[in-house]
Amino acid sequence: MIKFLFKGLIRDRSRSLFPVLTVVTGVFLSVFLYSYLNGVVSQMINSTAHYQTGHLRIMTQAYAQEADQNPIDLAFIGVDNLLQTLNEKYHQMLWTPRIKFGGLLDIPDENKETKTQGPVIGMAVNLFSEFSPERKLLNIKDAIISGRMPNKTGEILIADEFAKKLKVAPSDTATLISSTMFGSMTMANFKIAGTVRFGIAAMDRAAIFTDISDIQFALDMQDAASEILGFFADDIYNDEQATLIAASFNKEFKNPDDPFSPRMGTLPNESGLADYLNMVGSMAIIIITIFVVTMSIVLWNAGLMGSLRRYGEIGLRLAIGEDKGHVYRTLILESVMIAIFGSVLGTLAGVGIAYLMQVHGLDFSFLFKKTSMMIPNELRARVTFGSFIIGFVPGIISTVLGTSIAGVGIYKRQTSQLFKELEV
Amino acid sequence: MNNSYLIKTERLKKIYPMGPTTLVALEGVNLIFKKGEFSGLVGPSGSGKTTLLNIIGTLDSPSQGSADVMGRKVETLSHKSAAQLRNQHIGFIFQTFNLLPVYTVFENVEFPLLLQNMATSERKKLVMEALEWVGLADRAQSKPAQLSGGQSQRVAIARAIVKKPELVIADEPTANLDAENSHHIMKTMVQLNKGLDTTFIFATHDEKVMHYLKRKISLNDGRVEKDEILEREMWK
């Protein structure tokens, strides 16, 4: 019977082509949008984790309350001990200290007078240690536009856009004017080793990158850091595990009465992404629901048109002794065949285009010029295992649902009218 | 099943509601059809021919009275049991052939057997047998659109008899055919009746069909007006 139905579907294009095209279109859009949304969210999570919060972030409670302002006077001291403890207790994570600071970057002319200057945000990370994960996390090597990586103390990288604004180039000197951890004014000279562009507007506007030891020295922060970030070894955020680690750490180290005691937070909470990620999760469900409903209505109508076209055939089948339930089930079976075929084609098309968008991406930098979110300028899709199966949900549900509703008419056929109906 | 008859109707009545009134389509029809009959229901439009065929064919049930078809009471049959009875024991031939256009002649004839979950080899044998009976074995792979009206009706006959039913019901089987094809079709059915002992019941206005009948039942206003056994040379 299945072979018989399949032959009918293949030969009668009006019975298969329109439903298949509808399913292909809906599944293609579902797969592509899912993969693109997935890619954007993944990029956002990765950028936020790598450049801002880590998968886990430790700060003093006082610092955490003012974290937006990078208040280094509230940073914690005793970083080496804490890092040792973290590496022993939570060895599944990679731990790395960072200092975020602000100041003024002054560029002197040949007479050591100010040529240009501008406010700057700085990030001090462990650039020199061979065990440091930072080079990989920040993808510094690939971000270098001109010059080279700093390889000795006193060298910095500067955002390419910022460098152009200040009219500086590699090997020029720059002076950081800032305040120490204890509030006194400080100045430190650096040599620009290279310029970088990360493709993230918030990072590329006005940022410098230094080794943490240089900034600890310049800002009087020996054995201090504004934060310690933890990353899963495979660089994939695991919320369940992160929450467990944070709870265990806070239970042991966080003291509500001591504002300088450390506290640990997870990526979604630290970045304020929790609600956003929930919303994105809901968006995926909303997108699929919209496609299921829309496609169901279209396929319901297609089913009704098909039923009208096949009125004679269905009547004949009832007359020669096919049970109504059996006719109905064969229609559903046909729809499942169409759904599977359409879903496979739609998924292949969706995954194919999504893969192209994963490789090439779309440049949205014109939208992100003023954003402070850690979102890459070039948004790419991400093809995952889910991309290969997500399309089957709207593809199969809508086709079967549409046919189920359209096919109900079979139960309303009066067999006593069949002679009349079949002799028209 | 009672050996003395294939179908028996007793005081059969069929009433259709028509708004505030009712229409009596059949009124006290008492008939017996024996196995192997070649009978025709004749009469003007609205005389109850198709209604009677509907009930005998288990497509409809009587309002009053009873209809015993191959040992089953039609008035008590569920939809499913009626469908099962039609599927296994009754073949239908319609005025407008009703072949499925996307399937070949072979597949059209095969279709009733698919519902019986028969093995492929057995199906193939029965289909080819049926097509040989109607003289269309060489057109097995043709599509209905490639056939003439007469050939299409012969395919419809093959579809009706492929499962070797006890009863074939034909409603105006020659209405869409010219005289030559009508005679050809009727001769085919006579041969099948003789060869397979299949009971044929027709509803017809067509004189050409009447010429072949062994028994002619005239209906008028839902009642049996005349029931005659006809002496024909061809049946001797």
Side-chain angles (χ1 to χ4, degrees):
Chain A
M1 193 65 168
I2 291 175
K3 198 175 157 193
F4 188 82
L5 294 173
F6 190 70
K7 275 183 201 168
L9 279 179
I10 296 289
R11 292 175 193 168
D12 187 356
R13 284 192 192 165
S14 59
R15 196 159 127 195
S16 51
L17 191 62
F18 179 69
V20 165
L21 285 178
T22 309
V23 176
V24 167
T25 309
V27 169
F28 163 75
L29 289 171
S30 302
V31 170
F32 177 71
L33 287 175
Y34 169 82
S35 302
Y36 204 73
L37 202 63
N38 196 12
V40 172
V41 171
S42 300
Q43 279 180 287
M44 212 167 179
I45 290 173
N46 278 340
S47 302
T48 306
H50 292 173
Y51 298 108
Q52 202 170 22
T53 66
H55 294 144
L56 286 163
R57 179 159 70 166
I58 303 167
M59 299 178 282
T60 66
Q61 292 183 78
Y63 188 99
Q65 284 181 358
E66 313 280 343
D68 292 345
Q69 296 171 39
N70 302 325
I72 55 169
D73 54 321
L74 303 176
F76 52 75
I77 299 170
V79 172
D80 290 344
N81 272 342
L82 188 53
L83 273 173
Q84 197 177 341
T85 307
L86 289 168
N87 283 325
E88 282 166 10
K89 281 186 80 83
Y90 309 109
H91 50 82
Q92 69 271 46
M93 309 290 293
L94 300 170
W95 299 100
T96 183
R98 285 184 186 175
I99 297 172
K100 285 177 187 162
F101 57 94
L104 200 64
L105 198 66
D106 186 278
I107 310 299
D109 61 14
E110 58 276 11
N111 301 318
K112 311 293 182 198
E113 299 289 338
T114 296
K115 182 173 75 175
T116 52
Q117 63 175 206
V120 68
I121 303 164
M123 186 188 285
V125 299
N126 193 338
L127 284 180
F128 301 147
S129 166
E130 59 178 306
F131 302 110
S132 168
E134 296 286 17
R135 288 185 180 213
K136 195 178 160 202
L137 288 170
L138 297 175
N139 197 22
I140 295 174
K141 207 173 168 185
D142 290 342
I144 291 176
I145 299 292
S146 62
R148 56 170 173 79
M149 274 288 289
N151 54 22
K152 57 178 188 282
T153 58
E155 291 187 337
I156 60 169
L157 291 168
I158 181 169
D160 194 58
E161 199 180 315
F162 190 43
K164 282 176 185 153
K165 204 167 140 191
L166 294 179
K167 298 184 178 105
V168 289
S171 79
D172 285 352
T173 301
T175 304
L176 172 69
I177 304 167
S178 187
S179 60
T180 69
M181 186 177 180
F182 304 102
S184 51
M185 189 179 171
T186 182
M187 283 184 278
N189 287 330
F190 292 99
K191 186 180 169 193
I192 296 169
T195 65
V196 285
R197 183 159 61 224
F198 291 98
I200 296 170
M203 297 283 290
D204 290 339
R205 267 198 300 271
I208 57 170
F209 301 87
T210 71
D211 184 71
I212 194 163
S213 59
D214 283 341
I215 287 301
Q216 281 175 329
F217 179 74
L219 305 186
D220 206 3
M221 292 180 73
Q222 272 69 35
D223 199 20
S226 47
E227 56 198 37
I228 294 174
L229 305 186
F231 294 89
F232 287 100
D234 57 5
D235 200 22
I236 295 169
Y237 178 69
N238 179 332
D239 192 54
E240 199 179 337
Q241 218 182 336
T243 306
L244 282 174
I245 293 171
S248 152
F249 179 90
N250 288 334
K251 192 176 171 191
E252 189 172 347
F253 294 98
K254 186 178 167 185
N255 177 1
D257 300 326
D258 177 6
F260 287 95
S261 66
R263 38 68 78 205
M264 187 186 281
T266 60
L267 165 67
N269 295 327
E270 291 296 292
S271 59
L273 281 179
D275 291 339
Y276 183 78
L277 291 178
N278 284 338
M279 191 189 81
V280 168
S282 306
M283 281 295 287
I285 295 169
I286 290 167
I287 288 173
I288 287 167
T289 308
I290 288 171
F291 280 110
V292 167
V293 172
T294 315
M295 286 161 62
S296 295
I297 292 170
V298 174
L299 291 165
W300 170 22
N301 279 289
L304 285 175
M305 286 189 287
S307 297
L308 284 175
R309 278 190 66 257
R310 297 171 71 189
Y311 201 71
E313 177 201 326
I314 291 168
L316 175 83
R317 287 166 64 175
L318 294 174
I320 64 176
E322 193 172 352
D323 178 43
K324 285 179 177 176
H326 189 264
V327 177
Y328 189 70
R329 285 195 296 277
T330 57
L331 287 185
I332 302 285
L333 192 63
E334 279 184 21
S335 74
V336 170
M337 289 188 216
I338 285 169
I340 291 173
F341 186 64
S343 298
V344 168
L345 285 184
T347 298
L348 288 176
V351 166
I353 301 293
Y355 181 73
L356 274 178
M357 297 295 287
Q358 178 175 305
V359 174
H360 298 294
L362 277 182
D363 189 357
F364 284 96
S365 55
F366 64 97
L367 285 178
F368 302 145
K369 276 182 180 159
K370 290 182 180 172
T371 185
S372 58
M373 288 171 80
M374 289 295 165
I375 186 161
N377 293 335
E378 205 167 74
L379 296 180
R380 294 164 190 270
R382 183 168 174 238
V383 176
T384 60
F385 176 68
S387 308
F388 287 90
I389 53 171
I390 196 81
F392 284 81
V393 178
I396 290 177
I397 290 179
S398 58
T399 317
V400 172
L401 193 64
T403 310
S404 306
I405 301 168
V408 169
I410 290 167
Y411 288 98
K412 293 180 182 163
R413 288 289 286 271
Q414 301 268 338
T415 49
S416 58
Q417 299 299 313
L418 289 176
F419 267 124
K420 280 183 190 162
E421 289 170 0
L422 292 172
E423 287 175 0
V424 176
Chain B
M1 195 191 333
N2 192 321
N3 285 330
S4 59
Y5 60 84
L6 190 73
I7 299 157
K8 182 179 182 183
T9 66
E10 283 183 305
R11 297 182 300 282
L12 195 63
K13 189 169 183 177
K14 182 70 190 177
I15 304 167
Y16 293 111
M18 298 282 284
T21 60
T22 55
L23 173 77
V24 180
L26 290 175
E27 177 70 71
V29 174
N30 295 302
L31 285 170
I32 286 178
F33 294 92
K34 290 181 182 164
K35 186 163 174 58
E37 280 200 20
F38 201 82
S39 308
L41 305 173
V42 300
S45 290
S47 59
K49 302 186 296 292
T50 303
T51 305
L52 186 55
L53 282 190
N54 270 337
I55 293 171
I56 291 171
T58 74
L59 293 169
D60 203 356
S61 56
S63 307
Q64 285 173 31
S66 81
D68 183 322
V69 177
M70 286 171 262
R72 310 274 187 86
K73 295 281 183 197
V74 178
E75 58 274 21
T76 59
L77 280 180
S78 65
H79 279 293
K80 204 165 184 165
S81 307
Q84 213 165 18
L85 186 66
R86 291 198 297 277
N87 178 21
Q88 285 169 356
H89 303 288
I90 305 173
F92 288 88
I93 300 168
F94 304 94
Q95 184 179 319
T96 48
F97 327 137
N98 284 296
L99 301 179
L100 306 178
V102 295
Y103 294 104
T104 62
V105 164
F106 182 94
E107 288 159 349
N108 266 282
V109 178
E110 184 189 24
F111 185 63
L113 302 179
L114 288 171
L115 301 174
Q116 297 186 358
N117 295 322
M118 198 177 274
T120 313
S121 54
E122 179 72 3
R123 277 203 316 266
K124 196 173 174 183
K125 189 178 142 232
L126 288 175
V127 172
M128 289 316 292
E129 244 174 53
L131 286 173
E132 272 162 27
W133 283 328
V134 298
L136 284 173
D138 58 330
R139 305 301 301 268
Q141 295 311 317
S142 302
K143 290 278 181 66
Q146 297 166 312
L147 304 177
S148 67
Q151 286 173 324
S152 295
Q153 193 60 304
R154 275 151 65 197
V155 175
I157 293 169
R159 183 179 61 194
I161 52 141
V162 68
K163 57 195 176 189
K164 297 185 179 165
E166 279 92 333
L167 172 65
V168 170
I169 290 174
D171 193 14
E172 307 281 7
T174 55
N176 284 335
L177 301 177
D178 57 27
E180 191 188 337
N181 272 313
S182 296
H183 284 297
H184 197 115
I185 290 295
M186 289 313 295
K187 280 177 189 162
T188 305
M189 288 198 271
V190 167
Q191 279 165 11
L192 289 167
N193 174 261
K194 283 180 175 170
L196 301 172
D197 204 21
T198 307
T199 306
F200 280 79
I201 302 177
F202 301 88
T204 186
H205 287 101
D206 192 343
E207 282 298 326
K208 297 188 288 295
V209 174
M210 291 179 208
H211 176 73
Y212 290 87
L213 298 178
K214 276 189 205 173
R215 179 185 177 192
K216 186 165 95 173
I217 300 159
S218 304
L219 293 174
N220 199 6
D221 289 338
R223 293 169 192 275
V224 177
E225 208 172 53
K226 203 191 278 181
D227 186 352
E228 346 167 42
I229 303 295
L230 306 167
E231 290 296 320
R232 306 273 191 212
E233 194 58 35
M234 75 184 83
W235 294 108
K236 287 179 181 168

